[in-house]
Structures are given as C-alpha cells and as structure tokens.
Amino acid sequence: MLDSRTTRLRLALFGEPLCYRFPRPIGGQAFGQANAAPIAPGAIIITLTDAGCDPAKVDVGAGKTTFNIKNESKRAVEWEILKDVMVVEERENILPGFAQTLTATLDAGDYAMTCGLRSNPKGILTVAATNEAPAKPSPMDLVGPIAEYKVYVKGEVDVLVAETRRLTDAVKAGKLAEAQRAYAPAHQHYERIEPIAELFNDLDGSMDSREDDFEKKAEDPKFLGFHRLEKGLFTDKSTTGLAPISDKLMADAFDLQKRIDGLTIAPKDLVGGAADLIEEVASKKIAGEEDRYSRTDLWDFQANVDGAQKIVALLNPLIVKQDPKLSARLRDNFSKVDGLLAKYRMKDGGFESYEKLSDHDRTALKAPVTTLAEDLSALKGALGVE
C-alpha cells in the first residue's frame, strides 16, 4: 500500500500535465519544488478557497492574459471564464494544493469566473479595451468561414447545374422563348461564385468568356458558353446551331461541380473574392459589357453583390474585431447598393432590361458600387491575408 508521500510524489510526477505542487517542506527539502512550473511574469494569481475566488474581482486589458490558478480548497475543483452562460476558457480538475496556468485572449467586456464549487459565488472579470491593435486572425480563425463558404459554393454550383439543364434542354428542343427566360436565372449562379469558378481557367474560358476575348469576336469558333448562347437567343433570336454549344456548356457545368467538390479554398480566395466580385461590377459591368445581347446585366450585378455579401457575412466576426468602422461601412454600403438595385426589380423576381437605365441611373449606381469596392479591397489587409 502506498503511503501519502509516495502518492503525492506520483501525482507530482505523473498527474495533470499543467499542474504543479506548491512547495512543502519534507525532510528539510521543499517537496515538488523541482517539478514546479514557474509563474509567468505578469500572471494574474487567482486562489481558489472553500469559499470562492481570491480576489473575487479582477480587471485586465483586452488581449492575451495569463492566469495562475491555485487550489487551496479541500477538493479538486475547476476554474472557468464565462461570457454570459458560455464557457470561454477553463481549467479542470485542479487538485488540492496544486496550481494550473491558463493563457487566454479576451475581447473587451464583462465576464464571470466560476470559483470551485457551483454553490460558491462567481467572481467578476472585467476586460477593458486597449489602444493596442488586435492581433491579426490566425489561419485557424479562417477554417470555419472557409468551410461554410465551401458549403455555399457547392450549393450554388448544384443549382447552376440544374438551371443550366433547363436552359440547354430548352435550346435543344428549339423552344426559344423558354430558353430566353432560362438564361439569366442560370447564369446568376455562376456569377455568385465567380471568384472560385475563375480558379479553373479552362472552364471559365469555355463557360463565361465574352466575344472580346477572341480574335474573330462573336464569329470565333472558340467563343462558347453562356454568352455564345446569349447571342444566339437574344440577338440572332434562334436556337439553330446551338445544340453543340449547349452540350459543351452542360458538360462544363458538371465538370465544375466535380472540381469544386474536391477543391480546398485558400484564405486569399475567400477574403479577396468579395472585392473581386464588386470591382468587376464597378470597372466593367456597369458599362454594359457583360450581357450585351440580353441586357440582363442587373441580374449579374445582384448575383455579384449576393456573392460578396455572403463572404463578408462569414468574415464579419473577424472584421469587427480588427476594424469595427470598416464593418459598419461595408454594412451601410451593401445596403445602399441593394436599395438601388431593388428599384429595378420586377414583380416576378427578375430585373428591368439594362437598356432602360439612363446615363444618370447608371452613374447613380456606379458611385456606391465603387465605394463598396474600395472598402472591400481593404479586407485582405485588415485580416492579414495576402
């Protein structure tokens, strides 16, 4: 049977990895002294007693703080930092006479501390704002937003495949009016995920190139995809000869779906994607270059805004920490752009033909879109993603 000194020795050597024993003289030597972890400089010392925390109220600055939690009660206890009812950080199973160290990065605000027994009164932890710039998000901070964005992109490409099927089936069946109606609803799903779709240069070239990208313009045999169908349906007003182009577009849509399924989205593609979407609207699409045959440009504008808003919504918790003013500007500017686009939305959910917008209307739209693009361009710097 082990005596108490042997038990203490085994606990000190093989017990909780973050625990250490307070020195206790045994045979003229401070038992456990050699195994004791040093208290970090500037650490906040919290002593847990049978009655609660000592001190019961602690004030620290926002950012990283190290706590040294000593258990001087008669039983093993835990110590937690709470925000409302949620556990922010914790140390469990702190044995009597032992201590644990915890380093936490805390935002400014009011927190509570559990102090051993649940019946003990909670301590108060107040974290004050500081003038120091917050640390940039780590790669781990972006794992969640990237994962959620991947789900969004996969959802959009699934609908893209379904809507493209409707479009191409109508083309191949010679149903001109039906194909015309199906064009914009299909193309918008490509526009929402354009920053990711464009990563596949070959598919982007065959699915979404404009005639300006080819030497022979619209007559070039390499001019394919959505905009080649658009020309046939809205300028030529015929489905004749479009069946092979439809088959190629459908095959490309399936290929895109497969590639995105296995894609790992890089942080730069997520964070930079929002700016890419809106910069293209500001620099090219407002001029009417995108859907020059169908004049369904406003569908694409809204799709680009939707895609950018999704990215910002996923990143906003990180943006707020780094630059609350930037977060507020983005919210306000998105609201302005959405409001302007809503003026041209029709009862069936579609949009007015872009040719109905006057030069004044287009200028009024360009100003807030340009401002939004400028703010979005600051996201990479704000989040430390290059």
Side-chain angles (χ1 to χ4, degrees), residues 254-277:
F254 280 124
D255 194 0
L256 179 64
Q257 185 181 44
K258 182 178 179 180
R259 293 194 202 184
I260 284 178
D261 192 50
L263 177 68
T264 298
I265 297 175
K268 65 180 180 65
D269 295 324
L270 170 66
V271 178
D276 292 343
L277 283 165

Side-chain angles (χ1 to χ4, degrees), residues 97-119:
F98 282 77
Q100 292 194 27
T101 297
L102 180 150
T103 299
T105 301
L106 301 171
D107 296 328
D110 296 321
Y111 299 79
M113 302 179 291
T114 59
C115 299
L117 298 176
R118 293 184 182 274
S119 56

Side-chain angles (χ1 to χ4, degrees), residues 205-257:
S206 61
M207 294 183 74
D208 202 43
S209 289
R210 295 187 286 258
E211 67 172 64
D212 302 329
D213 298 322
F214 302 95
E215 181 180 359
K216 297 180 181 179
K217 299 284 187 175
E219 302 308 314
D220 200 297
K222 294 182 180 179
F223 176 40
L224 303 169
F226 278 109
H227 295 300
R228 178 62 185 89
L229 288 183
E230 179 196 5
K231 177 184 180 298
L233 297 174
F234 293 92
T235 298
D236 303 335
K237 292 183 170 48
S238 172
T239 60
T240 302
L242 298 182
I245 296 167
S246 295
D247 288 339
K248 171 62 174 169
L249 178 60
M250 195 67 243
D252 285 345
F254 280 124
D255 194 0
L256 179 64
Q257 185 181 44

Side-chain angles (χ1 to χ4, degrees), residues 24 36 82 104 154 168 173 278 283 292 317 321 339:
R24 179 175 297 174
L82 305 177
K154 288 180 66 175
T168 57
I278 303 304
S283 63
R292 64 190 68 179
K321 289 182 180 180

